[in-house]
Amino acid sequence: MLLIKCPWCGARAETEFSYGGEADIKRPEAPDKLSDKEWADYLFMRKNPRGTHRELWNHSQGCRRWFGAERNTVTYQIADIFTLSEDSG
Amino acid sequence: MRYSALSLVKNAFTHNRNWGEAWRTPDPKKHYDALIVGGGGHGLATAYYLAKEHGMRNIAVLEKNWIGGGNTGRNTTIVRSNYLWTEASLLYEKSMQLWERLSQELNYNVMFSQRGVYNLGHTLQDMRDIERRVHANRLNGIDAKVVTAEEIKESIPHINTSPDARYPILGASLQPRAGVARHDAVAWGFARAADNLGVDIIEQCEVTAINCEGGHVTAVETSRGTIHAEKIGVVVAGNASVLSSMVDLRLPIESHPLQAYVSEPLRPIIDTVIMSNAVHGYISQSDKGELVIGAGIDAYTGYGQRGSFSIIEHTMQAIIELFPIFSRVRMLRLWGGIVDVSPDACPIISKTPIDGLYFNCGWGTGGFKATPGSGWVFAHTIAKDQPHSLNKPFNLQRFETGALIDEHGAAAVAH
Ligand SMILES: Cc1cc2nc3c(=O)[nH]c(=O)nc-3n(C[C@H](O)[C@H](O)[C@H](O)COP(=O)(O)OP(=O)(O)OC[C@H]3O[C@@H](n4cnc5c(N)ncnc54)[C@H](O)[C@@H]3O)c2cc1C
Ligand SMILES: [Zn+2]
């Protein structure tokens, strides 16, 4: 069970959160100019690293706000929690 | 040595001391015609069919730990072929047909037991989906039928079919030819049979880099030195992205922990396999009497072979909902594997942009059933440098063309 520290509510059990997947994936700025390959990359391709992962979480059973976490995907330790700025995806 | 009734008797007389090893433990050679990375069931089956069907004998399987120690030895062994879409059902059915002859073919008892699999429906929409899937299966020549709640109760007396249940059981699909097999025996059987044909099975050999020259693979770096090969097939389940990142290949895969549980042994009480997507759990009983239980993946990605406590609670809720009689059964063991989940819940068995490099991954929560079939088509793909018609739709390009094979309905929770 992960203990996740919501930037607004503090440390809460994992069951209060929803996982949002890889962070820093930006919505294409000019969608109609994208090739099929670029679309595939945006929609489906993921880094899926063994080790440090920057990812999104939503405090869905709490304040319902999104934030980011840097988590180790082997030890499951969360090294950093960050809030999202306008341009961080 | 061929296993037979006679060999059993002979070895009994010498107190089973002279059986000999089932496969050799060779040191890696400098060069092979083909390398298979990953000594799970799929990798071992690939090597076996490469040797058997395509006459490639100068090949090796490289496994970083011990063979069958990954998902092969951690799964709940459900084997079925009742997938919705034609592409998927033909692939899984090919595998089913190989299962039906596998013990004879390998001269190794994989304890394949066709005890049937029920997929329960709890809502009207579940039942519509089940009917659709059953009809689709029958059009593809796969055995399948829709059964009513009364028929379920008759075959599985302890299941709670009360209409007052929180999630009442309305019916199910039943595939009578589906069932379970002994997972370790599948790895060992394929290993022994491949070894017999000259395949080197090299354990404790981790691949750390893949070398390419002019767009063609040339070798792998391993914890036991450089090994050269013209063809390299990668089939490492949850670690697919780790291997693909070695050659900057992007995959649509996310690795998640998936858990399973076994109970203390009970007298025979369930003689089939029961799965429910709605309450999110499934159960069968092993020959030793343990209830074998599983459910869904942890929501987050992870490479640690363990899962969250909340999933345990959730799974047990589902099982007690179906079988209130198990409320006081104690669980003995639990464990996790790492499953490679793809966007359409279907595998990728494909050539890659790099010549001579092939990937087989994305089986997610349901690849055990495909072990022989996956090996069979992957061997074909590697030997001929082109896919078999059965795995052609399961290429990497489908994420660009949009020709996805959306099996979430049939495969999302179900294994
Ligand atoms: C809990 C659980 C329950 C499941 N239940 C079912 C079920 O009921 N029915 C079903 O059909 N499927 C089920 N599955 C899925 C099924 O187990 C997998 O899809 C299937 O086993 C994958 O087969 P494999 O042989 O490729 O994988 P694995 O057995 O995981 O083999 C991959 C191998 O690659 C090795 N490897 C990784 N990296 C390297 C490297 N760098 N160098 C060398 N070797 C490497 C690993 O050590 C591993 O042995 C379940 C999975 C889990 C975890
Ligand atoms: Zn919060």
Side-chain angles (χ1 to χ4, degrees):
Chain A
M1 180 81 81
L2 305 177
L3 190 64
I4 302 172
K5 209 166 157 196
C6 170
W8 297 279
C9 312
R12 301 293 181 91
E14 169 197 327
T15 44
E16 289 189 18
F17 297 85
S18 307
Y19 184 62
E22 184 177 321
D24 311 317
I25 298 175
K26 284 205 179 129
R27 235 192 121 69
E29 292 191 351
D32 42 344
K33 299 222 168 63
L34 248 50
S35 68
D36 289 350
K37 194 171 160 45
E38 287 164 328
W39 266 120
D41 204 77
Y42 165 68
L43 286 172
F44 299 123
M45 302 302 163
R46 295 295 178 263
K47 292 191 192 114
N48 192 28
R50 189 183 173 107
T52 304
H53 190 218
R54 280 170 62 83
E55 59 194 23
L56 300 174
W57 286 89
N58 182 260
H59 194 186
S60 47
Q61 307 293 317
C63 65
R64 302 176 66 184
R65 292 166 81 173
W66 285 96
F67 59 94
E70 208 173 278
R71 187 177 56 93
N72 184 303
T73 58
V74 181
T75 64
Y76 299 167
Q77 245 147 19
I78 297 173
D80 189 28
I81 294 276
F82 53 94
T83 53
L84 306 172
S85 58
E86 274 298 300
D87 61 346
S88 66
Chain B
M1 184 215 307
R2 249 193 99 70
Y3 296 156
S4 65
L6 188 67
S7 70
L8 272 180
V9 174
K10 256 173 43 194
N11 279 285
F13 277 116
T14 52
H15 303 279
N16 291 312
R17 283 202 202 97
N18 302 327
W19 275 108
E21 57 181 14
W23 58 88
R24 299 162 296 132
T25 37
D27 287 323
K29 292 192 259 180
K30 290 260 165 310
H31 173 268
Y32 290 94
D33 296 337
L35 287 173
I36 305 301
V37 184
H42 288 221
L44 295 162
T46 305
Y48 169 73
Y49 290 114
L50 270 175
K52 166 96 187 315
E53 307 280 337
H54 304 281
M56 292 184 71
R57 303 288 165 97
N58 182 32
I59 62 178
V61 177
L62 309 181
E63 165 56 49
K64 73 171 174 182
N65 292 322
W66 67 97
I67 60 163
N71 292 346
T72 298
R74 294 165 187 264
N75 72 79
T76 46
T77 78
I78 298 169
V79 175
R80 58 189 180 87
S81 61
N82 54 350
Y83 282 67
L84 174 65
W85 299 103
T86 298
E87 294 88 342
S89 61
L90 293 185
L91 180 63
Y92 288 103
E93 177 59 20
K94 167 72 191 174
S95 197
M96 179 67 86
Q97 288 171 11
L98 292 170
W99 277 113
E100 287 176 325
R101 296 185 284 108
L102 200 60
S103 291
Q104 286 76 11
E105 160 110 25
L106 300 179
N107 179 234
Y108 203 100
N109 187 0
V110 299
M111 295 169 76
F112 182 46
S113 159
Q114 294 177 291
R115 56 183 71 179
V117 170
Y118 290 82
N119 291 88
L120 301 177
H122 300 260
T123 64
L124 218 57
Q125 188 57 42
D126 274 0
M127 289 314 297
R128 289 187 188 124
D129 290 343
I130 281 172
E131 280 180 33
R132 178 181 178 210
R133 184 161 45 77
V134 164
H135 290 309
N137 290 159
R138 294 171 68 127
L139 285 172
N140 282 322
I142 293 166
D143 62 320
K145 55 184 172 189
V146 179
V147 290
T148 63
E150 294 73 46
E151 289 168 310
I152 296 171
K153 186 77 185 167
E154 206 162 291
S155 318
I156 312 163
H158 299 287
I159 200 166
N160 179 16
T161 53
S162 154
D164 303 329
R166 174 71 182 80
Y167 302 99
I169 293 169
L170 302 184
S173 71
L174 168 63
Q175 183 179 22
R177 280 162 69 239
V180 292
R182 178 168 180 220
H183 44 19
D184 298 323
V186 175
W188 300 335
F190 271 118
R192 174 170 165 270
D195 175 89
N196 254 323
L197 296 173
V199 176
D200 282 357
I201 292 160
I202 301 163
E203 297 173 274
Q204 306 291 319
C205 182
E206 176 170 5
V207 171
T208 52
I210 301 172
N211 301 341
C212 307
E213 244 178 70
H216 199 292
V217 283
T218 54
V220 291
E221 302 294 337
T222 78
S223 51
R224 297 178 67 175
T226 308
I227 307 175
H228 296 268
E230 281 77 59
K231 295 181 174 208
I232 298 173
V234 178
V235 48
V236 292
N239 283 290
S241 305
V242 178
L243 273 286
S244 74
S245 68
M246 293 175 186
V247 288
D248 293 327
L249 175 68
R250 302 253 293 155
L251 289 180
I253 297 288
E254 289 188 302
S255 300
H256 291 265
L258 176 66
Q259 312 184 52
Y261 321 90
V262 294
S263 74
E264 58 190 333
L266 309 177
R267 295 220 176 146
I269 187 163
I270 293 180
D271 63 359
T272 181
V273 183
I274 300 128
M275 349 190 32
S276 166
N277 278 1
V279 302
H280 217 138
Y282 59 90
I283 185 166
S284 65
Q285 188 172 21
S286 75
D287 293 345
K288 284 187 283 182
E290 304 150 325
L291 299 175
V292 181
I293 293 170
I297 56 173
D298 279 78
Y300 52 80
T301 59
Y303 286 85
Q305 286 169 309
R306 62 196 155 86
S308 273
F309 289 119
S310 54
I311 302 272
I312 305 176
E313 192 176 349
H314 181 72
T315 309
M316 295 309 148
Q317 284 167 350
I319 296 306
I320 303 306
E321 168 73 16
L322 299 177
F323 291 95
I325 190 176
F326 294 148
S327 66
R328 283 179 298 156
V329 172
R330 277 169 292 233
M331 291 299 135
L332 274 195
R333 292 181 286 127
L334 82 160
W335 63 87
I338 316 164
V339 297
D340 41 340
V341 176
S342 74
D344 56 359
C346 274
I348 296 158
I349 315 164
S350 183
K351 295 175 67 166
T352 67
I354 297 160
D355 278 344
L357 182 66
Y358 311 86
F359 262 77
N360 182 348
C361 59
W363 292 96
T365 61
F368 176 70
K369 64 176 73 65
T371 304
S374 163
W376 196 88
V377 294
F378 199 38
H380 183 285
T381 308
I382 295 171
K384 309 260 190 242
D385 193 37
Q386 60 183 31
H388 187 271
S389 60
L390 283 173
N391 68 310
K392 207 167 171 196
F394 298 91
N395 54 45
L396 197 48
Q397 290 81 42
R398 74 178 186 270
F399 300 96
E400 287 174 29
T401 62
L404 303 188
I405 306 155
D406 182 12
E407 281 292 350
H408 275 295
V413 175
H415 297 280

